Amino acid sequence: MQFESHNVVFEGWYPFGHGDATLMAEPVFTRLAQKYGKTNAQVIMRWHIQEGNVVFPKTLNPAHMADNIDVFDFELTADEMAEINALPQRAYYNVPEEAPAFVLVQNDYSQQA
Ligand SMILES: NC(=O)c1ccc[n+]([C@@H]2O[C@H](COP(=O)([O-])OP(=O)(O)OC[C@H]3O[C@@H](n4cnc5c(N)ncnc54)[C@H](OP(=O)(O)O)[C@@H]3O)[C@@H](O)[C@H]2O)c1
């Protein structure tokens, strides 16, 4: 989907599809990661930054935390940005078979007054 970017800010609240393995392993990310000496996740982060998106990655891994901010020393070309933008617009969404307990608790509004 293409949007006019004037006066519009997009926010990416789960840039890695909650850790979706298919998204993370998309061949285009793997190829660009090898080209720039980065990780697939860093290519995803960099794409967001160059799009002008505000992006909120989550990680519990300190090394991933450092990686996710270390995306300001390389730049994707216009062709590479276009290639990523041309990826099929399908849902990348890692849904665990069983939701973690904290999710069930947080989404349980039955006790709410
Ligand atoms: N999704 C929503 O609707 C929503 C709504 C409100 C707020 N938020 C907030 O937005 C943030 C988004 O987090 P999210 O979990 O929904 O989705 P996410 O950021 O798309 O995915 C998180 C997953 O990506 C993995 N990951 C992160 N950095 C990585 C890296 N550099 N390399 C490889 N794997 C990496 C994490 O694993 P590791 O921990 O192993 O790195 C984790 O499994 C959270 O802070 C969340 O609270 C989300």
Side-chain angles (χ1 to χ4, degrees), residues 6-80:
H6 312 291
N7 304 318
V8 176
V9 174
F10 290 99
E11 298 178 348
W13 283 98
Y14 48 96
F16 306 127
H18 309 298
D20 183 278
T22 309
L23 172 66
M24 299 299 261
E26 275 288 352
V28 63
F29 298 139
T30 302
R31 180 165 46 78
L32 294 175
Q34 284 169 355
K35 173 179 174 182
Y36 291 108
K38 292 290 180 179
T39 67
N40 292 32
Q42 287 173 311
V43 172
I44 294 171
M45 286 295 296
R46 182 68 205 185
W47 173 82
H48 274 288
I49 299 294
Q50 288 185 218
E51 283 285 296
N53 297 337
V54 179
V55 60
F56 299 87
K58 190 209 84 177
T59 176
L60 300 176
N61 179 328
H64 288 169
M65 249 177 244
D67 283 351
N68 292 346
I69 196 68
D70 181 21
V71 295
F72 295 96
D73 59 353
F74 74 110
E75 184 168 355
L76 300 170
T77 68
D79 283 349
E80 290 162 352

